[in-house]
Amino acid sequence: MTEPLDHTLTTRVNGQAERALVQPRTTLAEFLRDYLGLTGTHVGCEQGACGACTVIVDGAAIRSCLMFAVQVEGAEVQTVEGLSPTGHLSALQESFAKHHALQCGFCTAGFLMTVSAALSEGDDLTNPTQARARISGNLCRCTGYTPIVDAVVDVARSYHGEGEP
Amino acid sequence: MTLGADPGLEQLKDLRPEEGPAPASAAFVGQRVRRLEDPPLLQGRGHFVDDDQPRGVLHIAFVRSPVAHARITSIDVSAATAAPGVEAVLTAADIDQVCQSWRGVLNWPGMVAGEQRPLAKDKVVHVGEPVVMILASSRARAEDAAEVVDIVYEELAVTLDPESALGSEAVLIHEDLESNRCLEMDFGSGDTEAAFEEADVVVTVTMQTGRHTAMAIEPRGIVSNYSRADRRLTVRLSTQAPSMLQTLYARLLDLPENAVRILTADVGGAFGMKAFVYPDEMAAVTASVILGRAVKWIQDRFEALQSDTHARDERVSAKLALQDDGTILGLQSDVLSDCGAYSMYPRSSVTEGVQVCTIMPGPYRVPVYSGHLRVVFTNKAPLAVYRAVGHPVAILVMESLMDAAAEELGLSRAEVRRRNLLVPSELPYTSVTGNVYDSGSHLESFDRLVELLDLETLEQRKDQARARGRLLGIGMACFVEISAPGAMFYGAKGAPITAHDQAKVRMEPDGSVTVLLGTPGQGQGLHTTAAQVAADQLGIDISGVRVISGDTSTSPHGTGVWASRSAVVSTGAVATAAKQVRVRLLNAAGHMMEANPADLEIVSGHINVQGDRGTGIDVAEVAARVHWRTHEFPDDMELGLAVVGECRGPDMVFNNGAHGVVLEVDPETGMVFLLDYIVIEDCGVLINPDIVDGQIRGGVAQGVGGALLEQMVYDENGQLQTSTLLDYLVPTAMDLPSIKIHHIETPSPYTELGSKGVGEAGTAGAPAAIHSAVNDALAPTGGRVWAQPMTPERVLAAIRLAGDPHSAAQPF
């Protein structure tokens, strides 16, 4: 049933135009997961603390649990599903697998998007200390972080800005 | 009273796995094989509970108690029922007609527990206890309606301190029980009084560990559907123990077990916390039965912190008796465990306290011991089991005693340990609490650690740190960790939890293999290790193995994941099943090749006479023939290439090792910085070294959290103050150093592959090592910390009060 405040949202997700009727209170995370069926973005706290819900909006890594769907009107949104559109792992995803940088996998999409955004912004993540600092806003309860740092440093060293990570 | 009957050495020998044909190859076990689980998870194509959105599902929100202890005077749901989008509002009156109540009791002598039900009836006993359940067209609408439910509470006195909960003035939390005591019992054996009398030195510590919680990144959640048409209950949830829940949901709802189907795909971390019947989940299941439709509940983080099981809230007072030369003569401990308001069902809430008592002697030669345990109810969320259950506290206390003994005796911390650590000639060793250490490298692992810590340069490094205004400290901790305990933990104590695991190995007609695991994982790579074992046993490439788990209707009965058992019993079950499939393959191949099956080998998917690689047939060809051309085989030959294997495992196996940490304390801020962390780990044969290392790293991280950061704080009214992740702090990437891991592989003589569990070893030793290091760092100030987490406030208080002769005995 529609409500007077419902909004017809027009946005682009992973390069594809999307149009949907959302409520003002609908978060971006809910929109991606429940409306578009893109369940790769996970919700761990709804408090903006854990970073599992991180996606990229107009190039910036943001917490989709703290953003409303209506805020991405006309914006470009990238989620974890966009990293491997043909089912082949990207270099970043490959590096995570190689370094055993995931266990339960629930926080992983958030790390991938945080790192993707950083690499696209030209951040130098070849230094472990900087890489560690850059991912410090994402919580992981399984890995102890070091394998994630190793994966990020490894891919950063081979990534020279040629194409998407 | 000891934890489990001592099986005696003779019985243990009978449990050695039968000699059978050696695996076709050792191509995959022992290798750092890439995880099968990774590709879908990396691409955002995992399948977690919240990913399910059945058409027409009703969303649930709970109204939870805002007070810690009260009678429920009245509940008015009229406004909520009329709210937009609301389909139903249920209370205990509705739920209790369909679902029974339960008590988390095991047959420990004298143990009692309060009655628990899905929704509170008549009274509430902790903040966050569910009282009313709203079902609506969306979660948002359900939460809107929850806000207009009107409940009148008559508040009662709140009990938050377990010591005073036992006092004569204490208000009963469960009015049908005689007191707030859940369990009181003694552990250990021998004449400790005599030992302490004849001792040259006695040292005492009193410590307190902070209440904390698993904080899995994936919150708990459930989707439940009851079909009236075929009277079948289907539940998807984030759990460690689906087969256990199949039984319990059936019992509580009076359904036959074959009408209950539990689905568990991916689980975003569990750590022991997701192994229970939770009232909110049970309420959701019951609602689906009452309404005959699909319902869904996903907890938010406030609810998680309020209602997930807690852990590690213990006060321990312990004494160690020694000779002048450092030989341990005896140990005594008094353990008080704060149970919270309920003993959780079905494992109960006493296991942690029990293990604090029984693990305390650790890897040392302790001839006599008396441990006294009290587990007490308070008006907090229930305490239960969390990674390393009891070990972190036991080892923290024992290692603190060893450090104190070293100081008192004028020996180095390393030397006092060396003189008491077990050596291989003593193994198998039955501890004074009845734990049997089957094998291990207790002294060797410690010597290795000491070598790597480079203690010779310690004083020099401390001077350098002091020049920078920092206090440097080094800590060491030796540990043992129980893994894969058998039925005596739960089944023998009356709980419907099986200790043995089952797995099915099935070869398809084209030779590809499907393994069905009875126990699904929560990130530890069970599918990968199962595939490694199956591939080796069958002689095929791992790429030909696919692993499925998480549907109790089609998977074999599983023990669930708990107590680091999967490397023993899950892979043991897979190995057993795969071996039998291999026997059938070779029988069929022998018939096809007119050869004796005993002369055949399988290498890389090809079967040939041993030593004659050029001839023979592919596994795929045999598989096709036994499916499609059965007429070519003798009538009495078993041709089915699908076998369910089981593994019971020994009563227990123990891993061992040592942790070492180098850290700096900033005396101005009280902050602790971890510089270096080393783990020496002996968990027997490694099936997948990457997975083992991952478990150790993750375990250490959780141990660091408990040692430095994590604490559930209740105010004097029983209000939980730490209900967001900005208050309850878990380690971030900045809080953990790179952890160096070194392995010793002493195979267990009593497991199928010689492997032992390892999932909890990182957590078992970390709090002790870090505590030892912080107190080492603070030594020049005269201050000591005796409580965890060692927050900056506690560290500063220790420094400030240093020199006060009374302060050293008080837990800060």
Side-chain angles (χ1 to χ4, degrees), chain B residues 79-166:
Chain B
T81 308
V86 171
E87 290 276 338
V89 179
L90 302 179
T91 64
D94 307 299
I95 297 292
D96 290 354
Q97 291 180 46
V98 175
C99 182
Q100 294 173 40
S101 65
W102 60 83
R103 288 177 198 264
V105 170
L106 296 178
N107 57 14
W108 291 104
M111 181 178 179
V112 296
E115 194 183 11
Q116 193 176 18
R117 42 176 35 90
L119 296 177
K121 173 179 138 178
D122 299 337
K123 73 183 283 199
V124 290
V125 290
H126 72 87
V127 166
E129 186 171 9
V131 184
V132 177
M133 175 167 52
I134 318 276
L135 295 111
S137 55
S138 73
R139 171 70 182 228
R141 293 209 186 281
E143 289 191 5
D144 290 344
E147 286 184 21
V148 297
V149 169
D150 189 13
I151 306 178
V152 177
Y153 294 100
E154 177 205 325
E155 290 188 57
L156 303 168
V158 170
T159 305
L160 296 170
D161 174 57
E163 200 69 73
S164 53
L166 294 174

Side-chain angles (χ1 to χ4, degrees), chain B residues 323-328 364-365 402 409 411-423 426 443 446:
Chain B
Q323 277 171 200
D324 262 328
D325 67 354
T327 306
I328 294 171
Y364 301 110
R365 215 171 287 116
M402 295 299 273
L409 290 165
L411 292 171
S412 72
R413 289 181 288 163
E415 191 53 35
V416 73
R417 284 170 170 81
R418 256 190 222 109
R419 293 181 186 185
N420 293 286
L421 282 165
L422 296 168
V423 295
E426 298 173 272
L443 176 59
F446 181 64

Side-chain angles (χ1 to χ4, degrees), chain B residues 486-501:
Chain B
M488 80 285 189
F489 251 63
Y490 295 122
K493 291 247 169 291
I497 297 168
T498 186
H500 81 285
D501 211 12

Side-chain angles (χ1 to χ4, degrees), chain B residues 502-526:
Chain B
Q502 297 178 40
K504 183 173 191 175
V505 171
R506 183 177 77 208
M507 183 171 280
E508 315 293 349
D510 69 351
S512 63
V513 171
T514 307
V515 177
L516 291 95
L517 295 182
T519 292
Q522 309 87 43
Q524 50 293 69
L526 296 190

Side-chain angles (χ1 to χ4, degrees), chain A residues 145-162:
Chain A
Y145 299 104
T146 298
I148 299 175
V149 174
D150 291 346
V152 171
V153 167
D154 193 2
V155 78
R157 285 183 181 159
S158 59
Y159 177 62
H160 297 293
E162 293 146 9

Side-chain angles (χ1 to χ4, degrees), chain B residues 314-346:
Chain B
E314 272 89 43
R315 270 172 234 188
V316 183
S317 197
K319 303 200 286 192
L320 190 62
L322 306 106
Q323 277 171 200
D324 262 328
D325 67 354
T327 306
I328 294 171
L329 294 175
L331 173 66
Q332 263 182 29
S333 74
D334 190 285
V335 178
L336 181 61
S337 179
D338 184 338
C339 184
Y342 291 109
S343 174
M344 283 301 280
Y345 182 70

Side-chain angles (χ1 to χ4, degrees), chain B residues 74 131 150 352 387 489 494 504 726 732 764 782:
Chain B
S74 65
V131 184
D150 189 13
E352 184 167 291
R387 200 170 196 170
F489 251 63
K504 183 173 191 175
L726 303 175
T732 69

Side-chain angles (χ1 to χ4, degrees), chain A residues 1 3 23 25 33-34 39-40 42-47 49 80-81 84 87 89 93-94 96-98 100 102-104 106 108 112 132-133 135-136 139 141-147, chain B residues 34-35 38 42-44 48 50-51 53 140-141 144 213-215 217-218 267-269 300-302 386 522-523 690 694-695 697-698 702 710 723-725 731-734 736-738:
Chain A
M1 57 185 154
E3 302 269 304
Q23 298 183 336
R25 71 198 297 184
R33 291 179 50 79
D34 300 342
T39 56
H42 297 140
V43 177
C45 71
E46 294 174 294
Q47 295 168 347
V80 65
E81 288 90 345
S84 53
L89 298 183
Q93 290 166 320
E94 249 306 310
F96 268 56
K98 174 179 161 196
H100 193 44
L102 63 152
Q103 291 184 26
C104 81
F106 197 78
T108 305
L112 290 171
R132 200 175 269 279
I135 62 167
S136 60
L139 296 180
R141 210 45 172 155
C142 293
T143 66
Y145 299 104
T146 298
Chain B
R34 286 269 185 111
R35 294 194 341 155
D38 286 354
L42 285 164
Q43 297 178 71
F48 297 88
D50 193 22
D51 300 343
Q53 200 85 298
R141 293 209 186 281
D144 290 344
T213 186
M215 223 240 67
I217 311 281
E218 185 206 14
V267 173
D300 64 29
R301 192 49 64 182
F302 294 104
Y386 167 48
Q522 309 87 43
D690 272 350
Q695 288 301 299
R697 291 204 168 85
Q702 289 185 306
E710 298 179 44
S723 60
T724 76
L725 293 182
T732 69
M734 302 304 288
L736 296 166
S738 189

